[in-house]
């Protein structure tokens, strides 16, 4: 059972004696070894950091708990965020648990059904705007100037501080840093947070080297690859449908300082990787999460990642959040009479 990231890593987080020790049991997620994809790619090892096992089904909980603890400490009564879905689900859950009102602005029609459901079931007030995530973020930045309102997007520095604990856990679990870490990039907060976490641990002597950071964007929403803002981003991976990432510089620094890369993968490659993870590894993630695996595969093919490399892919969110993304591949189960003989025949047993 996870004690939560604040209790686990308090001395490395911006908390003091007055910061409430909140937890929903976030962090402590498994880092499981791939049985099929890693060996097929000829990697020395491939581990999957299963962030979908956090309390609300994504990595956002790590940063949210620190941001909410500090918001409470500062006397805030309301959380606000813009979101492609997971941030709002996380904010709503922590808001519900710790007695804060939560207000969420989402891009209309572009949030996976499970994520919207989460925000609403936890009692958040949800408003959809006729625009993308980037417009929604601009709006909440304007709204969050009141002292009783805490903005809990990753522009809130406490969010990235909490999220860096995932890098600590990777090192703690594997005994050292991997050679490469592949991670999806949307607003670019998480790649920034992981890089910070690895550098801090390296500075403390907890790992012998730093990983190369491989950032995965979707081809239709790849501002960091193109080097310019994308006005109308599009991808099936709605979580990373972002054209003007807030942590742009953090992502570029992570890429350059680690001698890594940020590259784009097509929606078809993302969906194929998502399917392989489900069918071959027993890991059901959302499309954005599979971008990390799609990019790693691309890098092995191009030679950017050599055989024998020790790799980690960050699987950022649960596939249950976005059932529609898989619908094209699935059919309704056949229905038969409730008899063992008929069921056996239908099952081919
Ligand atoms: C599953 O919830 O931006 O590069 O508003 O939900 O740190 O943005 C989500 C992003 C990757 C990208 N994987 O992380 C939001 C939001 C999943 C995500 C990302 C997101 P960042």
């Amino acid at each position: 059972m996870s004690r939560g990231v604040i209790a686990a890593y308090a001395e490395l987080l911006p908390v003091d004696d007055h910061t409430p020790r909140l937890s929903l049991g976030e962090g402590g997620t498994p880092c499981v070894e791939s049985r099929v994809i890693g060996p097929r790619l000829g990697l020395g090892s491939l581990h999957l950091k299963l962030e979908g096992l956090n309390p609300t089904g994504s990595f956002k909980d790590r940063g949210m708990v620190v941001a909410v603890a500090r918001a409470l400490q500062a006397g805030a009564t309301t959380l606000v965020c813009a979101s492609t879905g997971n941030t709002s689900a996380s904010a709503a859950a922590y808001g519900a648990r710790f007695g804060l009102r939560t207000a969420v602005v989402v891009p209309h029609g572009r949030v996976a059904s499970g994520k919207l459901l989460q925000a609403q079931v936890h009692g958040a007030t949800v408003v959809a705007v006729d625009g993308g995530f980037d417009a929604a973020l601009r709006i909440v930045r304007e709204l969050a100037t009141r002292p009783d309102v805490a903005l809990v997007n990753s522009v809130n520095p406490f969010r990235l501080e909490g999220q860096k604990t995932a890098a600590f856990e990777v090192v703690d679990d594997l005994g050292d840093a991997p050679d490469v870490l592949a991670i999806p990039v949307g607003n670019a907060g998480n790649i920034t947070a992981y890089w910070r976490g690895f550098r801090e641990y390296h500075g403390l002597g907890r790992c012998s080297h730093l990983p190369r950071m491989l950032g995965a964007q979707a081809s239709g929403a790849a501002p960091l690859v193109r080097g310019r803002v994308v006005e109308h981003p599009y991808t099936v991976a709605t979580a990373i449908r972002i054209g003007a990432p807030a942590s742009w510089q953090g992502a570029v620094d992570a890429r350059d300082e680690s001698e890594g890369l940020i590259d784009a993968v097509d929606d078809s490659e993302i969906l194929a990787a998502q399917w392989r993870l489900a069918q071959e590894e027993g890991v059901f993630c959302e499309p954005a999460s599979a971008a990390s695996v799609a990019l790693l595969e691309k890098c092995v093919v191009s030679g950017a990642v050599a055989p024998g490399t020790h790799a980690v892919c960050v699987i950022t969110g649960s596939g249950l959040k976005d059932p529609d993304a898989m619908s094209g591949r699935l059919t309704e189960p056949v229905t038969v009479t409730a008899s063992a003989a008929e069921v056996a025949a239908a099952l081919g047993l």
Side-chain angles (χ1 to χ4, degrees), residues 16 26 29-30 41 49 131 145 149 169 174 198 202 261 281 299 303 326:
D16 59 33
E26 65 290 325
T29 57
L41 293 173
K49 180 68 170 158
T145 49
V149 173
E169 289 178 13
L174 302 184
F198 284 124
H202 189 243
L261 55 86
E281 304 284 1
C299 288
M326 280 284 104

Side-chain angles (χ1 to χ4, degrees), residues 317-329:
S318 165
L320 293 172
K321 288 169 171 282
D322 193 3
D324 300 335
M326 280 284 104
S327 57
R329 292 198 184 253

Side-chain angles (χ1 to χ4, degrees), residues 59-60 83-87 184-190 239-240 242 286 316:
F59 69 96
K60 302 286 182 183
S83 184
T84 59
N86 279 326
T87 297
V185 176
N187 215 21
N190 212 25
I240 53 172
I242 293 174
E286 61 174 288
T316 46

